[in-house]
Amino acid sequence: MNITLELNGKSVEVDVPARTTLADCIRHHLMQTGTHVGCEHGVCGACTVIVNGEAVRSCLMLAVQAEGSKVTTVEGLTPPEGLSPLQKCFREHHALQCGFCTPGFLTTTHALLTREPNATEERIRHVLSGNLCRCTGYIPIIEAVCAARSAYGGQAAAVKATK
Amino acid sequence: MRGALRLRRTGRCGESDKVTSVGEAYVGRPVERIEDLRLLTGKGCYVDDLSIPGMLHAAILRSSVAHGRLVSVDASRALEMPGVCAVITGADIANGLNGAIPRIPMRQEALPELERFEQPVIANGKVRYVGEPIAVVVADDAARAEDALDAIVVDIETLPATGDSAAAERGDALLYEEAGTNCALTLSAVRGNADAAFATAPYTRRERFRVHRHTALPMETRGLLAEWNAISGKLRVLGASKVPFPNRRVLAAHLKLRVEDVEMLEGDTGGAFGVRGEFYPEDFLIPYAAKRIGRPVKWIEDRREHLIATNHAREAECELELACDLDGRILALRGHARTDVGAYLRTNGLTPSRNIAQVSTGPYRIPHVLFSVSAMLTSKTPVGTYRGPGRFETDFFRERLFDLVAADLNIDRVEFRRRNLVREHEIPWALPVVHPFGGETSTDSGNYEAALDRCLGEFDWIGKAKMNGKLVDGRYHGVGIGCYIEGGASGPRESARLVLETDGTVSVYTGSSSVGQGLETVLTQIAADALGMPMSCIRGVFHGSTTGVKEGFGSYSSRSVVMGGSAVVGTAKKLLAEVKDAAARHFGCEREQIGITGTHVVGPGEKVLTIAEFARNYGPFSAEDSFSSNKRTYSYGTHAAHVAVDPRTGEIEVIDYVAVEDVGRIINPHTLHGQTLGAIVQGLGGVLLEHLVYSEDGQLLTGSLADYLMPSATEFPSIRVFALEDYPSPNNPLGAKGAGEGGIIPVGGVIANAVAAALRPLGVEPRELPLSPPRIWQLIKEQA
Amino acid sequence: MKLPNFEYVAPSTPAEVVKVLAENRGGAKIIAGGQSLLPTMAFRLAQPSILVDVRKLQGLDTIVIDSAGVLLGARTRWCDIESNAQLAKAHPLLVEAIRHVAHYQVRNRGTVGGSLAHADPASEMPCIAATCEAELRVLGPSGERRIKAADFFQGPLTTALAEDELILDVRLPVWPAARRWAFGEFARRPGDFALAGIAVFYDVDGEQRARNAHIGVAGACYYSRRLPETERALNGQRVDSEIARAVAAVAEQEADPTGDFHASAEYRKALVATLLERALVAAASRSA
C-alpha cells in the first residue's frame, strides 16, 4: 500500500504491506528508530507517537491508517542543537536510565502538556499510567514532567516532596 | 539533589594513598548523564535499531507442549512459503557439528554432576518446557518468518508434566530419566552446630513461607544481529550485554572458531536486571544461522516469547526455624527450601538457591546455621538471576519469621532486630560457607544499627507505629521494617584500557557492560578524577564489547562501579606514568620532574605543552590494566513501610516507604538514587502485582503484559530514599560498594510485616507472596 | 508478534462497508480504533482475511444531545466523550464510567461502536449500554434495524450483530437531572480491565424511595447485563447504609462471574457486593 504522510514536518511516501503497523513503518521503512517497540500489544506505551496532535500507541495503528496525517516522533521533538526544554527537564531530574521507554514518555508528555499545560501532578500520573518504565520507579519522571509545565505556559508548581 | 549526603570519611580504608589519588572534582557529584544526550533525542542504538544490508530475520518455533519426546520436525511446507530462506532444526545442527547438539555450560556454581541438566541449544530428543526452541525459521522479513512457524509440523509424544516443586519431589514424572530424580542439587549453608543449638534452645519457632515466580521484565526484549564474514573468517554479534566475554568463549567453542574470530559488540540496552545477557539458546542459534546461511541474521524477541523464553526467577518455598534465648538473642537458624528452577539449569540457575542459603542471616549475628536448599526441576521456563537473586526470597523468609518470633517473645520487633544486628566492631563478619561450592565471604564494613536508627527517624516509626491495627475510614493500617545486606563486586577482576588520543582526548574502554545504569557517566567521572582532567576531555566510554579490552568479565552482582571503576583508576595511573615517562624522555629530564595538570604537561624550566599538543606530537599513549579482588563488598540498610489494607477488597496501598542505605562511596548521587528507587518499585511490583502463573500441565497462563502486571506511575508515588557513605569499603581504591540491588532485597519482608501488623485484629498472618487483593481477601475470610 | 496477512479496504460509505462484509461472509472484520482488534491479531487469535476500515465514513463520529437523550455515533472516541462539556450534565453516569476506560493513548483511538461490537464483559461501555437500556442502530444488507441492549449482548464477546452488519450509533435514554447514580470499578491498576464494576442509577419518589432502579455489572458477569433481582430489592427502599448492605447481599448472590487465575468467582461476587454497597451510599448522598 502506498502511504503519504507528514513525519516530523516532512512529507514522506512509503510503500508497505497493509499489515505493517505504524510503529514498524516508522522504524524500519522510514528509518526513524527513536520510537521503540516494547510489547506489540498496546500495553507498554514505548511506541507512543503523536498523530494529529494526539498521543497514540503506534503498535496499535496500521501504517495505512495514518495516511494523510501529521505524525510526530521523538526525533520531531528534538531541536537541531541540544535538547528541548522537556528533554532538559528529563535529564535534570534523572528521569531515564536505560532510555528504552523514554521516547514514549516524551511524546505522551508533549501531547499532554501542549493541551493541558497546567495539568496537576495527579493528572500527569494518571495519563502516564499508560507508559511502563522498569528502571526509574517513575518518581523522577513525574518530577521532570511537573517541572516542564512552565515551558508549555503552565506553572511549574513543586511536586509534593517525596525526598 | 536527593537524600542526605555525608562525605565524612572514617579513615578505615586500608590503603589511604589509593583513596586520595582519586580527586573529587566529579566523583560524588550529581553529574548529568552523558548517555541522556542520545537517549532523549531518539539516537540510542538498541539492537533492533541496527540494520545490515542483506540481513534476514529469524523466528523461533517453540514447544507448546511442556514435556514430551520430540519425534519429528517437518519443515517442508514452511520452506515453500514466501520469503523463507531456511529452516534450521536440531538434526541440521547436529549434522553440521559432527553429531552433537551443544549444551550451554553453567557459568556460576558449575559442577560436573550438573552438566546433564544443562540446556541444549535446541530441543534434543525431548522438550522439557513450553517455550523450548525446536526450530529456527529464517526469512526476508520478520512477519514472514513468523508466518512460516505455523507451517512446521512437529510430532511430540506428550509426557506428563511436572507442575511444581512438590510434584518434582514426588517424582511421578522425571524430566531426566537417567538422573532418576528431579532434584538437580541440594546445597547447604553451614556454620557451627545448629542441631545442637536447637536441641537446647529455650525457644524455637518453625514456619513455612513461599515466594512466587516472577521476573525482571526489562522494557526491551532480547535481540541479536549476527554477521559472518567468510573472507576474514570472523563472526560479529551485535546485541551483546552483561557478560559478552564469557559468552564469546562459549560461542566460539560451540562453533569451533577461535575466540579472536568472534566479536561481541554491545550498544545501548533496554535494561537487564540480571536476565539479559546470559547465554541463551538463541545466542547460539542466531550466529549459527548467520554462519550457515552466509547472510546476516537478526532476531528480535517479541514480548509473548520473552515471557516464556527469558529467565524466570524467585519461586521458592521454605520451612524456616529460629532458636532464641528468652531475651530474643538468636541462637540458631535452620531451614530447608525448595526452589523451582524450571526445566534446565541455565548459566546461573543455581545462584539464587545458593544465595538463599548463604545470605539467610543477613546483617544479623546468628552463630549457628544449617540451611539447605534443593533445586527442583519442573516443567517450566528455566530460572536465572534477577536483581537480588535469592536475597529477596531469603530476606522475606527471615524478616517475616522475625516478626512472628518477636511477637511470641513479647519483644518489640525493632528491639529484636537491634539486639541481633552485627555490630561495627564485629565486622568483617563471615557469612556461612555453602557446600558443595565452598568459598568464604565476609561483610567488609558498616554500622547496621546506625542505618536502622536513621530509618526509624526518617520514617517516624514511633509516630506511625501507633497506627498498627487501627481501622481508619474502612482500612487497617500497619507498619513494617527490615534490615538487609547486599553483596556486590564479585571478582575475580575487571579490565580497562585508556588511550590518550592524538587530539588530547582520552578514550576509556571497559570490560564492564552498560545495562542502563549510567555506566558511561560514572566511569567518565572516575576516569576524569583519576586523570585529573576535565570530563569534557573524556572522548567516550566504550563498554562491554570484546573489541575494547583483552579480557572482560561484565556487569552482574552490582560490580561495575567497584570492579570496572577500580580498573579505570588503576589504568589511569598507568597511563599517566606512560605520559610522564615519555615526557621525561622528550624533555630530557627525570620522571619525577614532570607534572601533569588537568590541561598541561609541565617539565623543568619553561617546558610546557598542553596535553593536546603533547599527544599530537608524541602520542597516542595507551595503558591497559585490571583490578583484581575476591573480596566482595556489602552495602546495607534498612527499609520501612506504612500500608493501609481494605479488608473488603484486599487491596493494599503503600502510603509511605522509606529506604536508608549505606553504599560506601557515592559516585553519582543521581544515578544511585535512581537505581535504588527503581529497585524498590520492582520489589513492590514483585510483592503486590507481578506473578508468572502456570497451569498444572506446564502452560504459562500469564502470557501478555495485560496478565503480567507491572507497576505503573500511579501505584507507588511515596518513596523516600536516603543514601549514606559513612562506611567505605576497604576492598577497593574507590571505597565503593555495589549498590544496584539493595533496593529490592528487603521489600518482601517489609511489606508483608506491615500487612501483618495492619491485619492483626483479624488474626491474618501472610506467609506467601504475592499479596494480591484476592489472596488477602481469602486470608481474611479464612480467619473469620 | 507481527500481524498475520490480510487484505485492507477503507470504504467511503456504510453501504460499501456492509457490501464487503456480506461478500466475505465471516472472513471480513471491521476495524475502527483497532485497540481491541489489533492485539488479538498480534497474538494471532484472530486472523481475518479482510479488514474493513471505517475511518473514511462521514458523520458517524458525532455526539447529539436532545430531548430523546444522548446519541453517540459509532465512531465516537473516548476522548470525544471526555472533552464534551455538555455530556457531563446530560449523562453523568456515561462520562464517569468512560473515565475508567484504558489509558490516554487508547482513548484517542478506541470507539463506542468498537467496544460495543467487541462486547468484552469487563468493558465499561457495554455495561453502561446494558444498564441504561441503550438502543443500537445497525445497518445490514437488508437495511437498518434497531437492537435493544438487553438483546444485543448474548455472551462473552458475543452479540446479536450479524457478520455483515455495521453499528451506526447508540442511543441512551434521556437522563433526568434529579437522578441518583454512581459508578464504581475495582481493577488492579488504573485502566486495567475491571475485576468487577457496578453502574447504578435510580430515581426517587416524593418520599425519597428508590424507583426505576437500574443496576449493571462489568467484569463479574458472564456478559454485560443488569441484575433484575437486585433492582427489585432496591426499588421502594429509602437508601441508607443498612439498605445498601442488604441490597448488595442480593447482588452478591445474583452476579454470575466467571472465575480465572486472576480472581475467583467467589471473590468477584464479594467485590460486586462491596462496590454496590459503596455505590449506593455515594448515590444516596448525591443531591440533585
Side-chain angles (χ1 to χ4, degrees):
Chain A
M1 311 219 62
N2 248 301
I3 305 166
T4 307
L5 55 96
E6 190 186 289
L7 178 63
N8 296 325
K10 189 164 156 238
S11 181
V12 294
E13 206 181 301
V14 266
D15 187 8
V16 297
R19 61 168 161 172
T20 310
T21 60
L22 181 59
D24 281 345
C25 178
I26 289 170
R27 284 179 54 72
H28 299 300
H29 296 268
L30 295 168
M31 312 311 286
Q32 302 297 301
T33 57
T35 302
H36 299 145
V37 169
C39 75
E40 291 184 298
H41 55 284
V43 176
C44 78
C47 69
T48 304
V49 300
I50 302 173
V51 177
N52 298 331
E54 294 170 334
V56 302
R57 298 187 183 310
S58 63
C59 74
L60 290 192
M61 199 166 163
L62 299 174
V64 64
Q65 292 182 305
E67 162 75 39
S69 297
K70 284 186 159 71
V71 178
T72 305
T73 65
V74 62
E75 290 93 338
L77 297 181
T78 303
E81 298 270 336
L83 302 175
S84 71
L86 177 63
Q87 288 163 332
K88 278 206 189 89
C89 283
F90 268 63
R91 189 171 189 224
E92 277 159 16
H93 292 266
H94 190 42
L96 65 153
Q97 292 182 30
C98 81
F100 197 76
C101 70
T102 306
F105 272 97
L106 290 170
T107 49
T108 307
T109 302
H110 180 78
L112 171 67
L113 293 184
T114 300
R115 292 199 173 177
E116 303 175 42
N118 282 306
T120 61
E121 185 194 326
E122 198 191 327
R123 170 72 175 154
I124 289 167
R125 258 182 213 290
H126 197 84
V127 167
L128 292 181
S129 68
N131 292 67
L132 295 179
C133 171
R134 207 52 172 155
C135 296
T136 66
Y138 300 103
I139 289 171
I141 295 176
I142 304 301
E143 288 174 357
V145 174
C146 286
R149 288 178 295 196
S150 57
Y152 289 81
Q155 298 169 313
V159 175
K160 80 172 179 295
T162 57
K163 302 185 172 76
Chain B
M1 196 165 80
R2 288 166 188 76
L5 199 48
R6 291 165 68 182
L7 291 162
R8 178 169 61 85
R9 302 253 181 276
T10 61
R12 291 174 57 81
C13 289
E15 293 164 274
S16 54
D17 68 322
K18 281 188 187 172
V19 173
T20 55
S21 72
V22 180
E24 287 177 36
Y26 300 108
V27 168
R29 295 258 149 87
V31 174
E32 286 182 353
R33 293 195 338 165
I34 295 163
E35 297 88 329
D36 291 359
L37 295 171
R38 67 177 186 279
L39 298 179
L40 282 166
T41 55
K43 295 197 179 59
C45 196
Y46 304 85
V47 67
D48 192 33
D49 300 340
L50 300 166
S51 204
I52 298 178
M55 77 182 178
L56 299 168
H57 296 259
I60 316 268
L61 179 69
R62 298 181 182 279
S63 176
S64 56
V65 166
H67 191 204
R69 259 180 264 288
L70 187 57
V71 176
S72 66
V73 182
D74 179 1
S76 48
R77 268 209 307 132
L79 284 162
E80 287 164 11
M81 289 184 64
V84 173
C85 296
V87 179
I88 296 168
T89 64
D92 297 325
I93 291 172
N95 289 338
L97 296 175
N98 299 327
I101 292 180
R103 286 193 307 226
I104 301 168
M106 290 181 72
R107 189 170 60 77
Q108 290 178 323
E109 283 86 40
L111 291 171
E113 60 262 38
L114 299 175
E115 282 171 22
R116 63 172 96 185
F117 305 123
E118 289 169 349
Q119 181 163 6
V121 296
I122 198 164
N124 184 1
K126 277 182 99 176
V127 293
R128 292 188 171 88
Y129 67 98
V130 168
E132 182 160 9
I134 292 176
V136 184
V137 173
V138 184
D140 60 5
D141 77 36
R144 297 217 223 184
E146 193 175 335
D147 291 341
L149 294 178
D150 279 338
I152 301 177
V153 181
V154 181
D155 188 7
I156 297 178
E157 224 172 74
T158 313
L159 294 167
T162 299
D164 57 27
S165 295
E169 200 162 74
R170 284 195 308 271
D172 303 326
L174 291 176
L175 276 83
Y176 301 84
E177 287 83 359
E178 336 75 57
T181 173
N182 288 321
C183 178
L185 181 78
T186 297
L187 52 85
S188 52
V190 183
R191 175 157 69 215
N193 187 340
D195 288 338
F198 267 88
T200 57
Y203 165 87
T204 68
R205 176 141 181 185
R206 175 166 39 178
E207 285 290 339
R208 304 186 88 97
F209 300 107
R210 198 164 189 287
V211 176
H212 60 300
R213 207 174 196 80
H214 58 286
T215 186
L217 269 290
M219 291 317 301
E220 184 201 13
T221 55
R222 295 180 296 136
L224 294 163
L225 174 51
E227 185 182 15
W228 168 249
N229 185 322
I231 295 174
S232 63
K234 278 188 160 16
L235 179 67
R236 170 185 288 190
V237 180
L238 298 150
S241 181
K242 190 189 186 192
V243 284
F245 284 84
N247 286 358
R248 173 171 73 157
R249 285 193 288 276
V250 173
L251 183 61
H254 285 333
L255 291 178
K256 306 201 194 325
L257 295 173
R258 298 179 310 166
V259 166
E260 343 26 309
D261 292 330
V262 177
E263 271 178 18
M264 313 285 282
L265 299 179
E266 181 177 291
D268 288 313
T269 300
F273 314 115
V275 300
R276 180 202 311 281
E278 293 295 333
F279 202 101
Y280 286 88
E282 299 84 6
D283 292 282
F284 170 87
L285 294 170
I286 305 307
Y288 177 82
K291 186 162 183 286
R292 258 281 295 273
I293 296 170
R295 283 173 65 180
V297 175
K298 182 192 244 192
W299 168 73
I300 303 299
E301 185 182 49
D302 66 40
R303 187 58 71 177
R304 170 185 44 193
E305 204 176 7
H306 180 85
L307 285 162
I308 55 171
T310 298
N311 284 344
H312 287 186
R314 297 274 195 258
E315 188 168 5
E317 50 202 30
C318 174
E319 191 176 84
L320 193 65
E321 312 176 76
L322 209 62
C324 302
D325 68 21
L326 297 173
D327 288 328
R329 256 165 266 279
I330 302 173
L331 303 171
L333 179 77
R334 200 160 57 178
H336 176 71
R338 276 194 315 218
T339 50
D340 184 326
V341 299
Y344 292 101
L345 287 183
R346 281 199 171 146
T347 54
N348 49 20
L350 283 180
T351 306
S353 300
R354 185 217 177 113
N355 287 343
I356 286 176
Q358 185 160 56
V359 195
S360 52
T361 55
Y364 301 98
R365 183 188 314 102
I366 302 183
H368 302 279
V369 177
L370 177 59
F371 199 134
S372 61
V373 179
S374 294
M376 308 306 295
L377 297 155
T378 62
S379 304
K380 296 179 187 169
T381 301
V383 305
T385 56
Y386 164 39
R387 209 171 197 171
R391 302 195 181 101
F392 174 94
E393 298 90 293
T394 207
D395 271 39
F396 167 69
F397 302 150
R398 179 192 69 242
E399 295 287 333
R400 200 53 206 106
L401 184 57
F402 276 12
D403 267 25
L404 292 167
V405 164
D408 270 356
L409 295 175
N410 218 1
I411 297 173
D412 172 84
R413 39 194 181 135
V414 172
E415 185 52 35
F416 179 86
R417 287 170 171 81
R418 187 190 295 282
R419 272 179 209 173
N420 290 290
L421 281 174
V422 169
R423 291 292 182 271
E424 189 184 343
H425 65 270
E426 295 174 288
I427 297 173
W429 177 263
L431 297 187
V433 177
V434 180
H435 305 287
F437 304 108
E440 288 174 346
T441 184
S442 302
T443 59
D444 50 355
S445 66
N447 183 337
Y448 306 141
E449 201 181 358
L452 171 65
D453 284 327
R454 181 64 187 271
C455 185
L456 293 168
E458 297 290 353
F459 181 74
D460 184 21
W461 178 266
I462 295 176
K464 292 204 165 101
K466 295 185 182 128
M467 301 281 287
N468 278 329
K470 284 224 166 72
L471 185 63
V472 177
D473 290 334
R475 294 191 308 172
Y476 287 98
H477 288 246
V479 298
I481 197 158
C483 306
Y484 73 94
I485 54 174
E486 170 188 355
S490 51
R493 61 188 165 278
E494 193 52 84
S495 303
R497 181 165 66 97
L498 268 60
V499 179
L500 174 60
E501 312 282 1
T502 52
D503 64 359
T505 64
V506 175
S507 302
V508 177
Y509 297 88
T510 173
S512 295
S513 286
S514 169
V515 293
Q517 78 276 47
L519 183 76
E520 287 169 42
T521 302
V522 164
L523 291 189
T524 301
Q525 291 172 260
I526 292 172
D529 274 3
L531 293 167
M533 290 169 65
M535 267 179 76
S536 54
C537 287
I538 307 295
R539 198 167 134 264
V541 172
F542 305 97
H543 51 81
S545 300
T546 56
T547 46
V549 291
K550 287 198 208 66
E551 177 199 58
F553 287 79
S555 288
Y556 49 94
S557 175
S558 298
R559 70 194 299 275
S560 307
V561 162
V562 173
M563 301 302 286
S566 296
V568 167
V569 170
T571 308
K573 269 178 83 164
K574 220 173 153 185
L575 181 69
L576 290 175
E578 299 266 329
V579 172
K580 278 192 181 168
D581 280 346
R585 281 199 304 277
H586 293 298
F587 292 173
C589 61
E590 296 300 311
R591 196 226 243 199
E592 292 67 39
Q593 295 172 284
I594 301 293
I596 304 180
T597 72
T599 47
H600 290 79
V601 180
V602 184
E606 305 267 301
K607 297 200 170 78
V608 179
L609 287 175
T610 65
I611 290 186
E613 284 169 336
F614 188 85
R616 188 171 57 241
N617 293 332
Y618 306 116
F621 297 94
S622 164
E624 188 157 354
D625 202 4
S626 51
F627 174 74
S628 297
S629 173
N630 275 313
K631 289 194 173 163
R632 311 200 66 181
T633 62
Y634 287 87
S635 315
Y636 58 92
T638 302
H639 290 194
H642 170 194
V643 304
V645 186
D646 182 337
R648 302 278 306 260
T649 63
E651 189 172 30
I652 297 168
E653 181 191 347
V654 179
I655 294 179
D656 193 23
Y657 194 100
V658 169
V660 171
E661 56 181 0
D662 193 315
V663 302
R665 177 142 186 215
I666 300 172
I667 310 298
N668 186 324
H670 256 187
T671 58
L672 171 68
H673 183 258
Q675 287 288 294
T676 306
L677 208 45
I680 291 171
V681 171
Q682 273 186 317
L684 292 169
V687 175
L688 297 167
L689 287 166
E690 302 174 40
H691 195 171
L692 289 164
V693 180
Y694 271 90
S695 68
E696 262 176 38
D697 61 349
Q699 296 292 330
L700 183 66
L701 299 175
T702 46
S704 77
L705 296 189
D707 295 308
Y708 188 90
L709 307 176
M710 290 192 279
S712 76
T714 46
E715 278 70 60
F716 309 118
S718 297
I719 304 174
R720 297 179 286 138
V721 177
F722 300 88
L724 310 173
E725 47 181 354
D726 293 341
Y727 290 85
S729 176
N731 295 342
N732 63 81
L734 290 163
K737 300 181 179 180
E741 297 171 84
I744 205 172
I745 291 170
V747 182
V750 168
I751 297 295
N753 280 335
V755 171
L759 297 180
R760 187 134 300 121
L762 304 179
V764 167
E765 296 285 0
R767 291 175 174 82
E768 296 191 6
L769 299 181
L771 302 178
S772 63
R775 286 166 165 258
I776 296 295
W777 178 83
Q778 187 69 28
L779 286 175
I780 293 172
K781 208 164 90 74
E782 281 164 9
Q783 282 300 121
Chain C
M1 291 161 69
K2 302 304 173 194
L3 299 174
N5 263 315
F6 53 82
E7 271 181 63
Y8 172 90
V9 293
S12 310
T13 68
E16 282 168 38
V17 170
V18 167
K19 184 157 173 287
V20 177
L21 294 176
E23 282 168 359
N24 293 278
R25 264 215 116 76
K29 197 99 176 69
I30 291 173
I31 181 168
Q35 305 300 281
S36 300
L37 178 62
L38 290 179
T40 61
M41 290 175 67
F43 278 96
R44 302 206 171 197
L45 295 171
Q47 302 202 33
S49 53
I50 297 190
L51 283 191
V52 188
D53 199 334
V54 294
R55 67 184 164 93
K56 290 188 182 161
L57 300 184
Q58 298 293 319
L60 290 186
D61 55 359
T62 51
I63 299 173
V64 178
I65 301 166
D66 60 23
S67 56
V70 173
L71 186 69
L72 303 171
R75 291 182 59 230
T76 303
R77 299 168 304 160
W78 311 124
C79 59
D80 300 327
I81 291 175
E82 203 171 20
S83 61
N84 187 308
Q86 288 90 348
L87 259 187
K89 269 218 189 79
H91 209 299
L93 177 58
L94 167 71
V95 171
E96 175 59 29
I98 298 312
R99 277 196 336 104
H100 291 82
V101 173
H103 292 110
Y104 188 63
Q105 297 94 332
V106 171
R107 302 162 66 78
N108 287 326
R109 296 282 301 157
T111 64
V112 167
S115 174
L116 291 171
H118 187 59
D120 189 322
S123 293
E124 291 82 358
M125 189 67 224
C127 172
I128 293 303
T131 305
C132 298
E133 296 190 73
E135 191 174 75
L136 287 81
R137 185 168 66 108
V138 315
L139 178 68
S142 29
E144 278 184 25
R145 66 181 178 120
R146 288 170 198 274
I147 311 177
K148 290 183 160 44
D151 301 323
F152 186 75
F153 302 106
Q154 298 179 340
L157 308 179
T158 312
T159 69
L161 195 67
E163 279 164 353
D164 53 9
E165 284 183 314
L166 162 72
I167 300 175
L168 296 174
D169 54 46
V170 60
R171 175 172 291 287
L172 299 172
V174 69
W175 182 274
R179 177 163 284 174
R180 307 284 196 263
W181 64 274
F183 181 86
E185 182 182 300
F186 186 82
R188 295 297 300 275
R189 300 168 304 179
D192 283 346
F193 282 115
L195 294 186
I198 282 283
V200 57
F201 73 77
Y202 60 90
D203 301 314
V204 287
D205 67 15
E207 280 146 45
Q208 295 303 302
R209 284 183 297 223
R211 51 171 224 77
N212 193 32
H214 285 59
I215 300 172
V217 190
C221 50
Y222 190 57
Y223 61 89
S224 306
R225 53 176 281 241
R226 290 162 60 184
L227 299 177
E229 254 182 72
T230 312
E231 292 168 351
R232 278 194 290 277
L234 178 55
N235 282 331
Q237 305 284 355
R238 278 186 207 86
V239 176
D240 60 20
S241 51
E242 255 183 66
I243 295 295
R245 193 166 308 130
V247 172
V250 177
E252 186 165 359
Q253 294 309 308
E254 190 177 9
D256 64 338
T258 312
D260 63 16
F261 66 89
H262 284 299
S264 66
E266 205 191 354
Y267 174 74
R268 290 174 195 258
K269 281 154 93 79
L271 277 184
V272 167
T274 299
L275 288 169
L276 182 58
E277 186 181 327
R278 291 176 179 173
L280 287 173
V281 169
S285 66
R286 198 190 297 277
S287 42

